Amino acid sequence: MTALLELSNVGMAFDTPTGRFEALKDVNLKIAAGEFVSLIGHSGCGKSTVLNIVAGLLRATDGGVILDRREVSEPGPERAVVFQNHSLLPWLTAFENVELAVRQVFRKQKSKKEMRDWVAHNLELVHMGHAMDKTPREISGGMKQRVGIARALAMQPRVLLMDEPFGALDALTRAHLQDSLMAIHAQLGTTVIMITHDVDEAVLLSDRIMMMSNGPSATIGEVLPVTLPRPRDRVALADDPGYHRCRQKVLRFLYEKQRKVTPLSGRQEPAPSCLTGTDAPPRGRG
Amino acid sequence: MVTMTLPDWLASCRDLMRGKAGPAQQQAVLRQLVWPLLGILLFLLLWHWAARNIQTSLGQFPGPATVWEQTQALYQEHREARQREVAFHERQEKYIETRLAQQPDWQPVRRDYTGAPTFFDQIGTSLITVMSGFLLASALAIPLGIVVGLSAGLHAAVNPLIQIFKPVSPLAWLPLVTMVVSAVYTSGDPWIAKSFLNSMFTVTLCCLWPTLLNTAVGVTSVSSDLINVSRVLRLNAFEHVRRIVLPSALPMMFTGLRLSLGVAWMVLIAAEMLAQNPGLGKFVWDEFQNGSSQSLGRIMVAVLVIGLIGFLLDRLMLALQRFLVWDKSAARR
Ligand SMILES: Nc1ncnc2c1ncn2[C@@H]1O[C@H](COP(=O)(O)OP(=O)(O)OP(=O)(O)O)[C@@H](O)[C@H]1O
Ligand SMILES: [Mg+2]
């Protein structure tokens, strides 16, 4: 298997007022085309940092990222990002938000009409066809996140990067979007890296779960392949012993091996936030 | 398509008259119509009472009635001046016609009418001056604000200068502006009056800062998420400014523009008074020097008109802001 995306010995150190802070050390990761990988770990361990390095929004201080045999040095639409808080331009409609991305990527390849059709197609894909002309403030949080996903998919990225895409949503909406995402992944075969705090979400969606150790000098502690057959059904899986074994392994990693003994100063995290399936308290992303 | 909507209070009045008004609308009429009218009425009464008790060397302080009289008198004078102007031109044309009949090779010389500007002429002059100064200031401040906001280094470099120049009174700029304009603008037959340029540049110098500062702040506070979106999409610098920065900064920019226009109007009146440049300020000053028994009444008319125009200018900016800015909540103040 040749990897589509490869992180080798990625390290990241931040210069802070109190000195150098080594957030990541020796992160190694190989992802095949079409794979769905999730990153899970305690808050502040460095998940967003890994994702931002892959996106090119941050430059690793050590090691490097290779996508399609080419080194990643800057952000680009072939590594589309779905941000945690949707990040839609509030002055544009859903359609225009996606259109901006499409125009930027397909300006030279598609005609105006083809581009419009492609925008509409992607909005239909996330079931937002009926609200294309609404602005972000006129639609709900879940709908905004759908538009954000449509925008990312419309770029036809080699890798889709998602930073806690459903973190800010209620449980029902989240389940809905997870199902949509699974369907889209099955249909398009997009390669996905998703950060999550939610153990159930990770097991349900992923082919592999990367469990990160706590920082500083965080790295990928364990990798859990999830071999449950697709398509997966959340209700059927509730009684599936294989599903529970996976869940158990992730929970054991998070709460036994990587238990947070001393919370980082100034950021007290209630440890069992992942257990309940609700999200950790919101905090600014790195 | 432009849709016309009634102002809230008018719509509420209409419903009230049709007997359709619920308690909420009655509240709205009360708040938006009845209370303001009561406030104005009370003010007029107080003013009337106070005016009767103030004696000045020019006679009694003008009350509302005097001011109303003077308003009508000023309007009358304006009409008469206009008639004189029309009459002057008619006479001139008639003269040219008769003279051409006698002497066909004569080159007619037409003269402009040179009567003293009326109160309404002065209003027009002031409005044109304030708008020119404001537009020039905006044309400088908005691009500068964007550039300064985009570059942290430039921001740090320019900020102290802005902070120092911002609080400078127009009266301090005026002599400098006057001297520079006379030195630089030396054509014998000036196409634009120097006095106009002096007022305009003074206005520009004073109302530059709120727009500049607010635009810069608006640009610096563009959400980092949107900047990341721009980076992922690889928008070039121009597209980045057009698609991300400008729309983000627009609400702040308009806050600055509104402040600037307010400053511009205040500064203009002061500058006109000090420099005797044509406009409402000069009208006030002339009446003050004139010192007739009507002067105080006329000055009071000018004061009210200045206030009213300032208010209308602000409303105008607000309407423009509502029309242009996506963030409607920012324009609701
Ligand atoms: N720009 C920065 N400067 C200094 N330190 C940073 C910076 N960005 C992140 N960090 C630190 O690096 C560590 C990892 O941050 P990161 O945001 O990647 O965590 P995370 O796993 O995404 O957390 P969460 O789940 O809460 O989003 C944290 O300790 C954070 O304080
Ligand atoms: Mg994060």
Side-chain angles (χ1 to χ4, degrees):
Chain A
M1 175 188 90
T2 55
L4 172 76
L5 179 78
E6 183 167 358
L7 277 73
S8 36
N9 297 317
V10 166
M12 185 77 205
F14 293 107
D15 284 316
T16 65
T18 52
R20 225 169 140 75
F21 174 77
E22 188 176 51
L24 298 176
K25 191 169 184 233
D26 289 333
V27 175
N28 287 294
L29 184 59
K30 275 188 189 172
I31 296 174
E35 216 178 354
F36 196 120
V37 171
S38 53
L39 277 176
I40 200 165
H42 286 289
S43 189
C45 68
K47 304 181 293 293
S48 294
T49 309
V50 171
L51 200 83
N52 287 338
I53 289 172
V54 176
L57 294 167
L58 281 176
R59 283 296 292 272
T61 44
D62 260 316
V65 180
I66 290 170
L67 174 69
D68 269 340
R69 281 181 233 104
R70 220 170 293 137
E71 169 127 33
V72 165
S73 58
E74 56 169 353
E78 77 282 359
R79 278 159 285 124
V81 185
V82 176
F83 297 91
Q84 173 163 15
N85 53 355
H86 67 80
S87 298
L88 299 177
L89 312 192
W91 47 88
L92 298 183
T93 63
F95 187 90
E96 290 165 336
N97 263 290
V98 180
E99 193 185 26
L100 177 67
V102 169
R103 225 184 358 227
Q104 197 60 20
V105 178
F106 297 107
R107 213 174 6 199
K108 298 204 180 87
Q109 296 140 36
K110 287 190 202 288
S111 73
K112 279 218 167 90
K113 177 166 186 325
E114 282 171 331
M115 284 200 272
R116 272 201 303 276
D117 291 346
W118 179 240
V119 173
H121 169 79
N122 279 280
L123 282 164
E124 305 279 357
L125 202 63
V126 295
H127 307 292
M128 283 296 296
H130 60 287
M132 293 199 281
D133 295 323
K134 296 229 161 96
T135 60
R137 62 184 57 220
E138 294 167 335
I139 57 182
S140 69
M143 290 161 94
K144 281 188 264 228
Q145 211 50 269
R146 284 176 189 275
V147 178
I149 293 171
R151 175 173 65 184
L153 288 174
M155 300 180 211
Q156 275 193 335
R158 301 289 285 142
V159 188
L160 181 62
L161 306 171
M162 311 176 99
D163 192 346
E164 293 182 48
F166 313 134
L169 305 177
D170 64 279
L172 276 178
T173 311
R174 190 176 343 181
H176 229 87
L177 284 186
Q178 286 164 354
D179 290 340
S180 293
L181 183 59
M182 268 197 291
I184 290 167
H185 179 242
Q187 191 184 336
L188 304 179
T190 320
T191 313
V192 183
I193 304 181
M194 181 181 77
I195 293 178
T196 179
H197 269 123
D198 183 339
V199 179
D200 293 293
E201 180 171 278
V203 177
L204 180 68
L205 295 175
S206 316
D207 296 316
R208 278 190 298 159
I209 301 176
M210 311 277 166
M211 295 174 265
M212 287 189 65
S213 64
N214 288 338
S217 310
T219 188
I220 293 170
E222 270 177 43
V223 178
L224 175 74
V226 182
T227 49
L228 300 167
R230 288 176 190 272
R232 296 175 187 165
D233 177 75
R234 69 177 64 246
V235 182
L237 284 180
D239 311 316
D240 188 314
Y243 176 77
H244 283 282
R245 257 196 310 281
C246 290
R247 245 183 128 256
Q248 219 60 52
K249 279 191 185 143
V250 179
L251 288 175
R252 196 158 291 141
F253 178 87
L254 287 175
Y255 298 107
E256 285 172 11
K257 299 183 197 158
Q258 291 296 326
R259 183 182 193 125
K260 282 205 137 178
V261 191
T262 45
L264 291 174
S265 59
R267 208 197 305 127
Q268 308 266 321
E269 300 285 353
S273 61
C274 297
L275 259 180
T276 57
T278 58
D279 203 57
R283 64 171 207 90
R285 285 188 297 112
Chain B
M1 198 185 77
V2 181
T3 52
M4 291 290 293
T5 50
L6 288 173
D8 291 350
W9 63 270
L10 252 181
S12 302
C13 282
R14 184 196 56 200
D15 291 346
L16 203 67
M17 278 188 281
R18 290 181 185 167
K20 287 202 304 192
Q25 271 160 323
Q26 285 171 3
Q27 282 279 316
V29 170
L30 215 61
R31 201 179 55 241
Q32 290 169 343
L33 197 63
V34 178
W35 288 124
L37 283 180
L38 272 179
I40 291 173
L41 203 68
L42 194 70
F43 169 74
L44 289 177
L45 282 175
L46 270 176
W47 176 17
H48 177 71
W49 173 80
R52 283 164 59 132
N53 291 303
I54 303 176
Q55 284 295 331
T56 71
S57 59
L58 292 180
Q60 206 173 55
F61 191 83
T66 324
V67 165
W68 179 237
E69 261 164 43
Q70 287 307 323
T71 312
Q72 287 170 315
L74 283 169
Y75 182 61
Q76 195 56 38
E77 279 167 30
H78 178 70
R79 294 261 312 260
E80 281 162 15
R82 275 291 170 283
Q83 280 161 6
R84 276 201 300 279
E85 187 178 351
V86 171
F88 168 82
H89 284 297
E90 274 171 7
R91 248 181 308 158
Q92 177 168 273
E93 289 304 316
K94 209 172 273 168
Y95 170 74
I96 290 173
E97 226 172 86
T98 42
R99 182 142 180 201
L100 275 178
Q102 296 165 355
Q103 200 182 334
D105 56 340
W106 178 64
Q107 289 295 319
V109 188
R110 283 187 173 78
R111 285 175 209 290
D112 285 335
Y113 177 73
T114 51
T118 66
F119 180 62
F120 292 89
D121 293 335
Q122 303 285 40
I123 294 180
T125 311
S126 284
L127 279 177
I128 291 173
T129 318
V130 82
M131 276 322 205
S132 316
F134 171 70
L135 287 179
L136 178 63
S138 309
L140 292 172
I142 292 173
L144 204 62
I146 291 173
V147 173
V148 166
L150 282 176
S151 145
L154 205 59
H155 197 186
V158 174
N159 200 34
L161 296 176
I162 297 177
Q163 300 300 343
I164 289 171
F165 285 126
K166 194 173 58 131
V168 174
S169 150
L171 311 184
W173 281 121
L174 194 61
L176 296 176
V177 171
T178 311
M179 295 319 289
V180 171
V181 167
S182 339
V184 176
Y185 190 61
T186 48
S187 91
D189 175 28
W191 178 58
I192 303 173
K194 270 185 196 166
S195 59
F196 169 80
L197 290 182
N198 291 340
S199 303
M200 185 184 90
F201 285 133
T202 308
V203 166
T204 301
L205 279 174
C206 292
C207 77
L208 208 60
W209 316 109
T211 304
L212 178 54
L213 272 178
N214 279 280
T215 306
V217 170
V219 170
T220 5
S221 49
V222 175
S223 128
S224 62
D225 286 319
L226 295 190
I227 292 178
N228 280 343
V229 169
S230 166
R231 289 177 66 197
V232 168
L233 289 179
R234 291 215 185 115
L235 297 182
N236 62 34
F238 174 74
E239 287 280 296
H240 175 68
V241 169
R242 188 164 86 108
R243 305 269 176 200
I244 310 279
V245 173
L246 260 183
S248 293
L250 212 55
M252 278 300 275
M253 214 162 80
F254 260 96
T255 308
L257 284 171
R258 270 176 77 192
L259 285 172
S260 277
L261 190 54
V263 168
W265 185 237
M266 283 213 199
V267 160
L268 177 69
I269 304 299
E272 285 169 351
M273 276 182 85
L274 184 74
Q276 308 277 297
N277 291 341
L280 275 170
K282 181 166 159 56
F283 174 86
V284 171
W285 188 251
D286 285 351
E287 287 299 332
F288 179 57
Q289 296 298 5
N290 188 4
S292 78
S293 60
Q294 301 172 338
S295 290
L296 289 186
R298 289 165 165 248
I299 291 176
M300 199 64 203
V301 176
V303 165
L304 292 180
V305 166
I306 290 169
L308 198 66
I309 291 178
F311 171 69
L312 288 179
L313 287 177
D314 192 56
R315 288 285 122 168
L316 193 77
M317 284 305 290
L318 197 66
L320 196 65
Q321 180 173 12
R322 291 222 175 118
F323 181 69
L324 285 178
V325 174
W326 51 274
D327 186 3
K328 302 296 176 203
S329 66
R332 223 158 256 159
R333 269 163 264 139

